[in-house]
Amino acid sequence: MGCRVIARTIDELASWAEGRLVPPAAPSGTPVTAVVTDSRKTGPGALFVAIRGERADGHDYLAAVARAGAAAALVSDEAAARAALAEAGGPGAAMALIVVGDTVAALGRIARGHLADLRRRAGERGLAVVAMTGSVGKTTTKDLTRQLLAAQGPTIAPVASFNNEIGLPLTVLEADESTRYLVLEMGASGPDDIADLVEIAPLDAAAVLMIGHAHMGGFGSIEGVATAKSHIVRGLLPHGTAVLNLDDERAAAMRALAPGRVLTFSASGDERADLRATGVELDEAAHAVADIHLPGAGPRRVRLGLPGAHNVANALAALGLALAAGVGPEALLDAIASAGLESPHRMAVSDLPGGGRLIDDSYNANIDSMTASLASLPALAGGRRRVVVISEMLELGETSAADHATAGALVAGAGAALLVTIGAGAAPAAETARRRGVEVVETPDADDAIARIPSLLAPGDAVLVKGSHGSGAWRVADHLAAGHDATDGRDGKDAR
């Protein structure tokens, strides 16, 4: 991963990182114009951040980074770094090193210093930093918010789901002196993750979408999820605005934590909400059509540019963040109808050969997003035979078996004729759906599912693919999107 960054000197970066420059003769005044964590993206002017991961150690690539002409490397293993410089030799041996105890934490400190400096430079013109969190809908809301704000001025937002302790700092470092809006997505796998992220990027506006069952294994209970997500509201600047889902009692309760203004939204049309949708209907393409009510503007009938009734809430959250960032309501109502999906594997609808339809919602899954996705299947499938592919939902903790069983019931309720499951953890879904009359095919992994797909589908089927990223549902979706269905049984390359 990598990003552009406005020119900073190595001295500045070392100071923000709270690191030590090695060797002393390094060209510390050299400007750095990119920050990367992927050695393959390193080049002249880059700062390479050497991260120790579960499968790779960035320190192993330092010699290649030095030979590629990187300006500096952020490292925690000084001995390995010195050895790499010696191996690189020549000009590469002059690459500066910034030595810290933890490179990921130091990356966050660099991003924090960079953002604070940009805010000082922005002055009265202002730089609005907005973010969202929730168990469902973060990336879709991020995409919508980016589009609403980009229509008003230069906007930076994450690629895909750069929402953790590495992706968020890299996104912050994309901002420069021209940036008017910075949109951030904040995810959490543990209790303190969002608290750490708002320390890097204090917020002008923060939205809480829904408190659900994502990553339950890391929190212990849904109350634990709510506490972790609440740090995004606690991380607001004193003048900041909280944008809260009034339809979710745990999100709505965070009003008490807000330092100032609160905007509430309701996809169910609750009249107490500042932003709400009424008269919601799905058209023939399963796009929501609704009367959108915003503060300062009369209701307007709008057709959303993305499918699924659940996206009404995401659209309202995006509208709330844009209002909090200072955009006028009439401009937002003009823009929201044309805003659509930007990130892959999120309710992406495409045609399959033979008149079929692929509904690719395979980026990730918990029981809340599974419920929303399956609720959209009847409208999206129309008169087609309905096929559902579910891979195991990961990190659910003690609720895993029950949640998968619920998913099986939802598959049957959506009128599926066939369910294909991937992974042993999805067995309760298979069992429940089979008992309710659905034909079921169980596969051990994505490779087996891909191999069997051609014999399971018929031309004209509607196929919904849903599951956790780590269990491989997205690979099945990519396989189908490449045209490998019942009319073409040849194996294709993994699109990733």
Side-chain angles (χ1 to χ4, degrees):
M1 294 188 290
C3 70
R4 302 179 306 277
V5 61
I6 64 172
R8 300 290 190 184
T9 68
I10 294 173
D11 278 332
E12 281 182 299
L13 298 180
S15 175
W16 287 333
E18 301 173 12
R20 177 170 51 88
L21 270 175
V22 175
S28 58
T30 300
V32 172
T33 55
V35 177
V36 299
T37 58
D38 185 338
S39 62
R40 296 167 295 184
K41 297 180 179 179
T42 306
L47 170 70
F48 173 68
V49 183
I51 296 175
R52 279 199 170 99
E54 294 181 0
R55 293 176 292 181
D57 183 348
H59 293 82
D60 295 339
Y61 303 93
L62 285 170
V65 165
R67 286 192 292 265
L74 185 66
V75 302
S76 59
D77 187 336
E78 182 177 347
R82 285 182 176 274
L85 291 183
E87 179 186 342
M95 182 178 72
L97 302 176
I98 303 173
V99 182
V100 296
D102 182 329
T103 56
V104 173
L107 174 63
R109 292 193 293 269
I110 288 172
R112 182 176 64 199
H114 176 69
L115 178 57
D117 184 65
L118 287 182
R119 276 182 155 137
R120 285 192 295 269
R121 296 185 187 202
E124 292 184 3
R125 174 183 66 83
L127 168 61
V129 184
V130 307
M132 67 293 301
T133 195
S135 301
V136 180
K138 293 186 296 295
T139 301
T140 298
T141 302
K142 176 265 297 183
D143 287 346
L144 295 174
T145 305
R146 189 210 67 78
Q147 291 168 79
L148 294 176
L149 294 177
Q152 306 300 316
T155 300
I156 294 295
V159 174
S161 290
F162 273 27
N163 63 16
N164 62 11
E165 73 279 11
I166 298 172
L168 182 135
L170 290 176
T171 302
V172 171
L173 289 168
E174 288 270 3
D176 62 20
E177 290 174 301
S178 70
T179 303
R180 178 67 184 86
Y181 304 103
L182 176 59
V183 181
L184 301 172
E185 179 181 333
M186 295 189 174
S189 297
D192 298 322
D193 289 353
I194 291 178
D196 293 340
L197 297 179
V198 294
E199 182 72 17
I200 295 169
L203 300 171
D204 297 289
V208 182
L209 308 176
M210 175 186 179
I211 307 302
H213 296 78
H215 304 294
M216 286 290 286
F219 301 102
S221 67
I222 196 165
E223 288 74 22
V225 176
T227 299
K229 300 292 187 184
S230 73
H231 286 292
I232 198 170
V233 178
R234 300 174 192 269
L236 283 164
L237 292 166
H239 64 267
T241 300
V243 180
L244 305 176
N245 186 356
L246 195 62
D247 295 334
D248 184 299
E249 62 180 1
R250 293 180 178 86
M254 293 179 196
R255 175 190 289 271
L257 305 175
R261 183 187 183 198
V262 174
L263 289 173
T264 57
F265 64 92
S266 170
S268 69
D270 192 321
E271 292 187 354
R272 298 172 298 168
D274 299 292
L275 301 88
R276 66 186 188 277
T278 57
V280 178
E281 299 175 339
L282 292 182
D283 66 12
E284 66 282 354
H287 286 235
V289 182
D291 295 316
I292 303 296
H293 306 249
L294 300 184
R300 186 186 299 183
R301 194 76 175 165
V302 173
R303 179 187 187 268
L304 297 183
L306 66 174
H310 60 288
N311 279 317
V312 173
N314 297 330
L316 290 171
L319 289 164
L321 286 170
L323 282 172
V327 183
E330 294 294 345
L332 292 176
L333 288 169
D334 290 338
I336 192 62
S338 60
L341 295 168
E342 294 184 324
S343 298
H345 302 300
R346 292 168 175 84
M347 290 302 290
V349 180
S350 59
D351 293 330
L352 294 175
R357 175 168 286 178
L358 172 63
I359 305 111
D360 176 6
D361 198 27
S362 61
Y363 180 78
N364 224 330
N366 55 54
I367 192 56
D368 303 301
S369 66
M370 184 72 72
T371 300
S373 188
L374 286 165
S376 300
L377 177 58
L380 286 167
R384 301 172 179 87
R385 187 177 79 124
R386 300 169 194 174
V387 177
V388 177
V389 180
I390 290 178
S391 70
E392 182 177 353
M393 296 181 285
L394 303 175
E395 300 180 43
L396 296 182
E398 295 179 355
T399 67
S400 180
D403 286 351
H404 281 93
T406 298
L410 292 169
V411 168
L418 170 65
L419 168 65
V420 180
T421 63
I422 302 171
E431 180 182 352
T432 302
R434 188 180 287 116
R435 287 202 310 264
R436 299 188 179 212
V438 179
E439 179 186 356
V440 176
V441 174
E442 298 180 71
T443 65
D445 52 41
D447 287 333
D448 190 66
I450 288 170
R452 300 188 66 177
I453 280 288
S455 65
L456 298 175
L457 299 184
D461 284 349
V463 187
L464 169 65
V465 185
K466 183 72 176 169
S468 287
H469 189 271
S471 53
W474 62 270
R475 295 182 55 217
V476 176
D478 280 352
H479 183 79
L480 291 171
H484 303 288
D485 68 346
T487 66
D488 182 356
R490 297 168 294 172
D491 264 342
K493 292 182 179 179
D494 191 333
R496 290 195 177 185

